Amino acid sequence: MTLPTTCPSGRLIDLARPVAVLFVSVLHFIPGDVNAIVEPFRAAMSPGSALVLSHATSGTATSQTEEVQRLYQRTPTPLQLRDLAEVQALFGDFAMVAPQPGAAPRPAGAALVPVSHWRPDPEDHLAVEGLPASPFLASFLAGVGIKRAAVMTEQPRPEPAGQQASRRTGRR
């Protein structure tokens, strides 16, 4: 898959600069290997770019999640629940952003949180006693990853034989 470099309006998207790619509430409607869709974007993104994902998952599915899935089975776009590991893998080696400002970075596999827990407004009263307002939201996870700068491991280049000899003798 090659990525288009222009928008329909003809304006250029400069992938050499940091961008944000949003896969919000979309991947769980796509059957099969969604990593084949996400990976080319990850590869094309420059360091400092953000990958934002939200996805309905099976690991924390509730009876309400199962009911929503049954309803979507009757549509042209049935709900494709994936487990936590499958969704986390979509971030590749991107550094995960803490879901709360000032929180310590989270270990791999712990970076996804229910969407209602992703940087909620302090005045938001949808959650009662730490529980999401909707049991379905407990299985709807979100995360943000930042592409790290490539680590260059440059090998020392061998010096030409003439330079090695002149360095030992002090002559040039």
Side-chain angles (χ1 to χ4, degrees):
M1 173 181 180
T2 55
L3 298 179
T5 56
T6 57
C7 300
S9 66
R11 294 186 348 196
L12 183 67
I13 298 172
D14 186 358
L15 293 174
R17 299 183 62 162
V19 296
V21 175
L22 310 176
F23 287 105
V24 177
S25 296
V26 67
L27 295 175
H28 48 253
F29 294 112
I30 300 172
D33 180 16
V34 291
N35 193 52
I37 296 167
V38 176
E39 195 282 326
F41 285 91
R42 281 195 325 260
M45 296 164 73
S46 65
S49 293
L51 177 62
V52 180
L53 293 171
S54 67
H55 201 296
T57 62
S58 58
T60 54
T62 65
S63 60
Q64 190 175 7
T65 307
E66 292 166 5
E67 181 60 26
V68 169
Q69 189 174 24
R70 274 193 295 279
L71 291 171
Y72 272 106
Q73 295 302 343
R74 295 185 277 177
T75 72
T77 56
L79 195 60
Q80 308 291 318
L81 298 180
R82 293 180 175 87
D83 65 31
L84 176 65
E86 290 174 292
V87 177
Q88 184 65 46
L90 297 173
F91 287 98
D93 63 353
F94 281 31
M96 298 307 293
V97 175
Q100 295 293 331
R106 298 169 63 94
L112 297 172
V113 296
V115 293
S116 60
H117 294 188
W118 182 262
R119 307 215 175 190
D121 288 333
E123 293 81 35
D124 189 356
H125 299 291
L126 292 177
V128 177
E129 298 179 32
L131 298 175
S134 161
F136 176 67
L137 291 181
S139 65
F140 198 18
L141 303 182
V144 176
I146 305 295
K147 186 168 186 174
R148 307 170 209 234
V151 177
M152 299 296 286
T153 56
E154 187 174 317
Q155 299 295 320
R157 296 181 187 162
E159 293 183 37
Q163 287 182 356
Q164 290 174 351
S166 64
R167 189 184 321 236
R168 284 192 296 264
T169 62
R171 288 185 281 175
R172 293 187 183 229

